């Protein structure tokens, strides 16, 4: 069964450093999403991406964040200058044309020290 | 504005008991989708069910059943004869299809503890 993959599974970085979280969505899916979950809290929407552009973003997704689909298979989330409060689990998801069900990757745990 | 409320922060029951997790949602759209996801201690999000706003039929899948009531804006989830492996955090979520964007709005989650 096709699945969404994410790398790395755990990333530790120092405050102020740039990080890139990578996702490979399901190959024929068209809509891509990033969510984050601070430990013990609810899942929060960050950004959605369709047709090579951002379709919607939340207040959390400020200028420090960017997304890219560099090569038709990867979907990346970049945090330019990490802060302690960026420590969270980041989930990537993708959706097909008509299924409306979002398939989630296993997540990347980001720890900012 | 859309919102999902899961009022039960944590529920603890003894194995084999039935348990119902509540979910109440708010939306102004007539077309929307409701979901339940399970998050076991390992952290991944496991899809359980999707229901669209035009289908109010209840659904049963093994020990799991869902009760969708538009009149009360609720989409409750019942586990019958609970098992220890059901212990997890369960999230209810809402999606409104707007301009090809199906972002999920999540409830705060209910932590379910099944004691042996």
């Amino acid at each position: 069964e096709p699945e969404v993959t994410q790398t790395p599974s755990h990333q530790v970085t120092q405050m102020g450093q740039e990080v890139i979280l990578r996702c490979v969505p399901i190959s024929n899916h068209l809509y891509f999403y990033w969510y984050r979950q601070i430990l013990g809290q609810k899942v929060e929407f960050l950004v959605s991406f369709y047709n090579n552009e951002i379709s919607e973003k939340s207040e959390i997704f400020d200028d420090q964040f960017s997304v890219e689909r560099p090569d038709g298979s990867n979907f990346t989330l970049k945090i330019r200058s990490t802060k302690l409060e960026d420590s969270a689990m980041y989930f990537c998801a993708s959706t097909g044309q008509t299924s409306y069900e979002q398939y989630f990757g296993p997540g990347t745990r980001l720890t900012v020290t | 504005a859309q919102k999902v409320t899961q009022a039960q922060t944590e529920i603890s029951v003894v194995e084999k008991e039935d348990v119902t997790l509540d979910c109440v949602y708010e939306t102004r759209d007539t077309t929307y989708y409701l979901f339940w996801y399970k998050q076991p201690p390992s952290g991944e999000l496991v899809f359980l069910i999707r229901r669209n706003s035009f289908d109010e039929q209840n659904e049963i899948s093994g020990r799991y059943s869902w009760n969708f009531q538009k009149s009360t804006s609720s989409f409750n989830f019942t586990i019958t004869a609970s098992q220890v492996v059901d212990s997890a955090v369960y999230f209810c979520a809402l999606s409104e299809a707007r301009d090809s964007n199906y972002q999920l709005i999540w409830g705060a989650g209910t932590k379910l503890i099944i004691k042996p």
Side-chain angles (χ1 to χ4, degrees):
Chain A
E1 188 173 324
E3 58 181 18
V4 177
T5 59
Q6 289 185 245
T7 54
S9 55
H10 191 192
Q11 171 99 42
V12 181
T13 189
Q14 288 192 329
M15 198 167 54
Q17 295 295 304
E18 173 183 287
V19 294
I20 297 177
L21 309 183
R22 300 179 197 280
C23 168
V24 179
I26 293 172
S27 62
N28 60 349
H29 280 185
L30 301 174
Y31 305 90
F32 314 111
Y33 308 83
W34 282 101
Y35 294 86
R36 83 168 184 195
Q37 184 183 30
I38 294 170
L39 186 63
Q41 296 187 23
K42 69 195 277 185
V43 180
E44 299 172 290
F45 167 75
L46 290 179
V47 65
S48 57
F49 192 86
Y50 171 70
N51 202 24
N52 283 319
E53 60 183 22
I54 290 174
S55 50
E56 192 152 340
K57 58 184 180 180
S58 71
E59 292 173 355
I60 303 167
F61 194 88
D62 61 21
D63 292 344
Q64 292 300 310
F65 290 88
S66 63
V67 289
E68 199 176 34
R69 189 153 161 81
D71 56 14
S73 62
N74 289 283
F75 178 51
T76 62
L77 174 69
K78 183 195 291 187
I79 308 175
R80 252 180 280 283
S81 177
T82 50
K83 297 177 276 208
L84 293 176
E85 53 264 38
D86 293 327
S87 295
M89 181 76 93
Y90 288 81
F91 291 101
C92 172
S94 68
T95 307
Q97 183 75 36
T98 58
S99 72
Y100 312 121
E101 175 196 329
Q102 293 187 17
Y103 291 79
F104 281 84
T108 292
R109 180 165 297 286
L110 177 65
T111 302
V112 182
T113 61
Chain B
Q2 62 273 54
K3 185 179 173 183
V4 176
T5 302
Q6 294 180 257
Q8 303 149 309
T9 307
E10 184 174 304
I11 300 174
S12 181
V13 301
V14 176
E15 200 172 21
K16 295 183 186 169
E17 285 186 23
D18 298 348
V19 59
T20 295
L21 310 181
D22 298 333
C23 173
V24 174
Y25 62 92
E26 293 176 32
T27 177
R28 282 177 286 191
D29 283 15
T30 55
T31 301
Y32 53 90
Y33 305 89
L34 295 163
F35 301 80
W36 276 94
Y37 284 86
K38 174 182 180 179
Q39 187 174 45
S42 48
E44 73 270 25
L45 290 166
V46 179
F47 168 80
L48 295 178
I49 190 171
R50 171 180 63 89
R51 173 65 72 215
N52 74 50
S53 52
F54 298 111
D55 183 1
E56 278 194 80
Q57 278 202 341
N58 291 329
E59 180 152 340
I60 298 174
S61 176
R63 295 184 297 106
Y64 295 171
S65 62
W66 290 269
N67 183 355
F68 176 30
Q69 302 232 346
K70 282 177 83 168
S71 59
T72 55
S73 297
S74 65
F75 186 44
N76 296 338
F77 172 33
T78 297
I79 302 175
T80 304
S82 59
Q83 299 175 2
V84 172
V85 293
D86 295 327
S87 296
V89 180
Y90 290 85
F91 290 97
C92 180
L94 165 73
S95 172
E96 298 168 338
R98 280 183 284 129
D99 301 325
S100 303
N101 175 42
Y102 301 99
Q103 62 158 296
L104 290 171
I105 306 300
W106 297 77
T110 297
K111 183 175 183 179
L112 178 63
I113 300 168
I114 310 296
K115 295 184 279 194

